[in-house]
Amino acid sequence: MAPLFTLLTFSLIICCISAKGTPSPGYYPSSKVSPVSFGQGFRNLWGPQHQKLDQGSLTIWLDSNSGSGFKSLHSYQSGYFGAAIKLQQGYTAGVITCLYLSNNQVYPRNHDEIDIEFLGTTPNKPYILQTNVFIRGSGERNIGREMQFHLWFDPTQDFHNYAIMWKPNEIIFLVDDVPVRSYPRKSDATFPSRPMYVYGSIWDASSWATEDGKYKADYKYQPFIGKYTNFKLQGCTNEASTSCKPPSASPSGGNGSLSTQQLAAMQWVQNNYLVYNYCHDPRRDHTLTPEC
């Protein structure tokens, strides 16, 4: 009876969410993590002249001279990593605004990465939120695991919270505490396990970012601006003891799986806003992504 009860509960929650039109996860991991100031958690990495800190809010921008990026002071083995981000309106084609984990500076030819990327767009078309996972990738071996979403709000009108929860057995991508994607550990070969730093940046990716490179960055619209605030870093640093545990993603605590209500909210997002899933792309060689 238990599995049937769980299925009925899940179905009922999906119906209720669909009727209201707004996902409700029922649990809010961001409320369990205290914010840190930019200086407490990060430093400028590149483009310092294109970065401004004002009352806890960081603005970075891209123009024809440079973009800008920042990096956490510590590397982490797991944890919750987030920020509230506000994107620019209008023509932003070719421009990437992002928050991500990476060890590419430590393993430049063989790195891991977990991405939240906003793909710039043209007027009257929505931004695409791209989530991605790389494992020991470089060059032609840099196998992306992209899932792309539209959002159920306008990300240019206000700040919204975006986060990566990286646990030893699962990666969860969250938007305003709503899980939009879960990437479970199915094998060591398909899951990042080496320490990574937290990064943010804005840069020109005209070759691929907007409709596979159809629309490029147009610098008559410069500067292209990304705003970040409410930085959250809580996890196990590279120096932490083996007893260190990352924050919980669900009300069950520890490394427990998402609750029924969280899963229903995630399913609602994927039913309504998912626009690309690498596992469903017939052009991809799925022998390279066995987790599919």
Side-chain angles (χ1 to χ4, degrees):
M1 285 298 292
L4 177 60
F5 178 77
T6 300
L7 179 61
L8 290 172
T9 304
F10 184 84
S11 300
L12 179 61
I13 292 173
I14 283 284
C15 290
C16 293
I17 289 175
S18 299
K20 292 190 296 183
T22 303
S24 176
Y27 182 77
Y28 303 89
S30 68
S31 68
K32 313 298 181 184
V33 180
S34 299
V36 298
S37 69
F38 179 79
Q40 287 175 312
F42 298 93
R43 63 173 178 84
N44 173 264
L45 181 63
W46 61 285
Q49 71 280 15
H50 288 67
Q51 191 172 110
K52 179 182 178 182
L53 190 61
D54 183 26
Q55 296 184 340
S57 179
L58 178 75
T59 300
I60 57 176
W61 62 93
L62 167 71
D63 61 24
S64 57
N65 293 315
S66 178
S68 187
F70 56 91
K71 178 183 178 180
S72 63
L73 300 178
H74 302 284
S75 64
Y76 296 86
Q77 303 178 77
S78 61
Y80 177 98
F81 313 101
I85 301 173
K86 184 178 179 182
L87 304 175
Q88 179 163 313
Q89 287 182 307
Y91 189 100
T92 56
V95 178
I96 298 287
T97 309
C98 55
L99 181 75
Y100 64 103
L101 304 173
S102 180
N103 49 32
N104 66 318
Q105 292 182 297
V106 181
Y107 306 102
R109 297 179 180 85
N110 188 27
H111 80 288
D112 309 300
E113 193 166 308
I114 306 171
D115 296 333
I116 288 177
E117 298 174 302
F118 299 96
L119 311 187
T121 188
T122 54
N124 302 317
K125 289 186 179 180
Y127 270 91
I128 287 176
L129 168 66
Q130 176 166 282
T131 64
N132 204 353
V133 180
F134 293 107
I135 298 96
R136 297 181 183 269
S138 177
E140 293 181 358
R141 295 187 296 108
N142 210 11
I143 308 303
R145 292 166 168 83
E146 303 92 344
M147 286 181 68
Q148 299 177 346
F149 303 84
H150 289 150
L151 295 165
W152 51 96
F153 52 82
D154 183 348
T156 71
Q157 292 301 301
D158 204 352
F159 285 94
H160 289 268
N161 292 302
Y162 306 92
I164 296 165
M165 175 72 84
W166 177 30
K167 304 190 296 175
N169 61 344
E170 186 180 22
I171 299 164
I172 301 167
F173 298 87
L174 301 119
V175 176
D176 288 337
D177 284 310
V178 177
V180 299
R181 177 185 182 182
S182 168
Y183 182 86
R185 184 184 200 127
K186 294 186 176 180
S187 74
D188 290 348
T190 62
F191 197 86
S193 58
R194 297 178 297 179
M196 289 189 271
Y197 288 87
V198 187
Y199 295 84
S201 63
I202 188 167
W203 55 288
D204 186 333
S206 289
S207 63
W208 63 271
T210 306
E211 298 185 33
D212 292 326
K214 178 180 179 181
Y215 297 100
K216 315 291 186 185
D218 187 339
Y219 287 98
K220 74 182 180 184
Y221 298 106
Q222 70 178 24
F224 301 103
I225 295 170
K227 295 184 177 182
Y228 298 71
T229 191
N230 197 31
F231 295 98
K232 301 216 170 172
L233 295 173
Q234 184 173 321
C236 301
T237 65
N238 196 26
E239 299 82 20
S241 70
T242 55
S243 62
C244 179
K245 303 296 182 186
S248 176
S250 69
S252 61
N255 285 324
S257 59
L258 295 173
S259 69
T260 301
Q261 189 169 349
Q262 288 175 302
L263 290 170
M266 183 168 68
Q267 190 63 55
W268 182 89
V269 173
Q270 295 189 3
N271 287 347
N272 292 281
Y273 295 99
L274 179 67
V275 295
Y276 177 81
N277 184 341
Y278 73 107
C279 282
H280 300 160
D281 187 343
R283 300 168 297 176
R284 300 286 293 266
D285 179 358
H286 292 298
T287 63
L288 300 175
T289 54
E291 71 279 359
C292 290

